Structures are given as structure tokens and as C-alpha cells.
DNA sequence: GTAGGAGCTGGAGTGCGCTCCAGGTCAACC
DNA sequence: GGTTGACCTGGAGCGCACTCCAGCTCCTAC
């Protein structure tokens, strides 16, 4: 994760501003890093920033927080599963198409063999 | 697929301009539709437009075409597989996190039971 | 003490993939 | 023959998620 992305996340309120050292520089605790790691995981699985902000807001909120967090994650998990299913079915199409091209190649080399 | 997207694809040279009827309107043959369907499949599996254009160009090129097409698809298939693997591993993290929240909920309701 | 390098800030810019718009044309229906 | 609706064109605009920049401050190493 680039430093610019990190700043961007902080600006839009996706991550809490971390502590600063005496020189005014950010110091990330292990917990900060763990949270960032999880947020990155959410991003790479295709969760939009908007939803990540909802999740971050839920984390900060009180008693209702955990239930809301869980709900968002359950919802996201469903979409990840759907995405996996979509990709898997597309793999079949891709395999089929590739087989086709392999066949074309074989035909072409067979024709070449005859003309040679 | 929206009409605007279709026009966009035509503008950037991703699809060949289809035939027109007497009134100047586009008429898509079954073959056109099949190609569009496959292109859409590539898009939804995350192939960038840039690579789709390479594929479209390969389709139009002569003898070298099929080999190039196949190469592009094989490459893309690998990235789809990698993506699936990435998503699957993330699902585990997600499951774990959701379990955590479920536990928190159970703890909370247990505490509520004691204070009630 | 000074040169270098990393991090700081607010703001502007970028790339991708659409999406929308204004103003025009055409065919079909009443 | 007027109205309606779909499609036509070129071009502008948008949302997302970054990414880059100028100009500054601060710590470190020599």
C-alpha cells in the first residue's frame, strides 16, 4: 500500500488518524497495521470504498457496532462468493474457447503438412 | 449492455462496425451478438479494455491471429484462476472475522442476560 | 552546521470505463 | 401529415480510486 493511498484513506475518514511522534510524524501501532491489513483485504476482494467507510463507521459506533460490522461483512462475503461463482463459470467458457483455438492450430499445422 | 457502452466499444475499435439497414441503423447479426457476448464475458472476468483491444486486433489479423488470440486467452485464464484463488483465501479471513463478531454478539447477549 | 532524505500539507491531476447530452434523422402509427 | 419514439453523431461529463506535485518541516549523518 502506497503512502499516498494511506493518506487518501485517512483524508476520507476510512482510517483513524494514527498517533504522532514528537516530530509530528505518524506512528502506526500493531493494531493500526492489523486494521489496515484487513481493510486492504476488503479492498482486494472488491469492496467499494463507500462500503468500507460504512464498516469503519460501524467499528467506531457503540453497542450497535458489532452487529452492523457483521452484517456488512456477511453481505460482502455473499458478493465475494457470487463473484467466485461467476468467475468459475466464465473459466469454462474460456477453456472451451481455448480448446477451439488449439483445434484451429492443429488444423492449420495439418494443412501445412499436406502442402509441404 | 447499454447502447452507450456498445457505441463506446465501437468508437475505440473494440468491435467492428456492424452492417446498417436502409435507414442507416445498425443491424447486428447473430455472429455479431455472439462476439459481443464473449467480449462481455471477458469484461466481466476483469480483462482490461486494453487487452480486449489486443484480442480484437488479433482476431482481425491473418494467419498469426489464432495463435495470438489463444495466447491472450490463456494468459487471461491464468489471471482469472489467480483471482479466484485470491478471493477464496480471502473468504477464509472473512469467515474468521464474521465468527469473531458472532462471538461478540453471543457474549453481549449473555451479559445482558445476567444484568436483566 | 549543513546536506540529504523522509514525511508533512492541501490541492490538482490521472486512467479507466463508461454515461449523458444536444441536436438531428428516420420509420411507424394514428 | 403530425406526433411519437428509437437511433444517429460528436463531444462533454462523471465516479471511482488512487497518484502526483510544490513547498514546507524535521531528523540524521557527516
Amino acid at each position: 500500500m502506497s503512502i499516498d493511498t494511506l493518506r487518501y484513506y485517512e483524508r476520507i475518514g476510512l482510517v483513524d488518524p494514527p498517533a504522532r511522534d514528537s516530530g509530528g510524524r505518524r506512528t502506526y501501532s500493531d493494531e493500526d497495521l492489523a486494521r489496515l491489513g484487513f481493510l486492504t483485504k476488503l479492498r482486494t476482494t472488491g469492496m467499494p470504498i463507500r462500503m468500507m467507510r460504512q464498516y469503519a463507521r460501524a467499528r467506531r459506533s457503540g453497542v450497535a457496532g458489532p452487529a452492523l460490522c457483521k452484517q456488512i461483512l456477511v453481505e460482502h462475503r455473499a458478493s465475494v462468493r457470487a463473484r467466485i461463482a461467476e468467475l468459475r463459470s466464465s473459466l469454462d467458457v474460456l477453456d472451451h474457447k481455448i480448446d477451439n483455438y488449439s483445434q484451429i492450430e492443429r488444423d492449420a499445422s495439418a494443412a501445412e503438412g499436406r502442402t509441404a
Side-chain angles (χ1 to χ4, degrees), chain A:
Chain A
M1 162 174 275
S2 78
I3 190 171
D4 276 314
T5 301
L6 195 48
R7 297 290 169 277
Y8 167 67
Y9 283 0
E10 199 179 316
R11 274 187 235 186
I12 64 173
L14 185 53
V15 302
D16 293 325
R20 301 290 181 116
D21 66 13
S22 60
R25 301 193 182 177
R26 292 168 180 77
T27 56
Y28 292 93
S29 69
D30 286 355
E31 202 189 334
D32 289 336
L33 295 179
R35 283 187 195 180
L36 279 171
F38 184 63
L39 285 182
T40 301
K41 205 82 186 167
L42 292 181
R43 267 304 294 141
T44 63
T45 51
M47 183 184 281
I49 294 277
R50 195 174 351 100
M51 196 184 294
M52 290 174 68
R53 291 181 64 184
Q54 284 174 27
Y55 176 76
R57 187 148 23 88
R59 280 213 59 140
R60 288 186 212 100
S61 75
V63 188
L68 207 50
C69 285
K70 184 185 166 187
Q71 185 197 322
I72 290 169
L73 293 188
V74 166
E75 201 176 305
H76 181 58
R77 180 175 59 182
S79 84
V80 172
R81 282 182 180 149
R83 179 69 178 143
I84 289 174
E86 186 182 30
L87 289 180
R88 287 170 72 83
S89 93
S90 296
L91 265 191
D92 293 342
V93 177
L94 226 38
D95 284 338
H96 187 81
K97 202 85 178 182
I98 288 169
D99 282 352
N100 261 5
Y101 281 119
S102 297
Q103 188 57 49
I104 288 171
E105 282 181 338
R106 273 196 298 279
D107 291 353
S109 68
E112 194 184 352
R114 278 197 303 279
T115 57

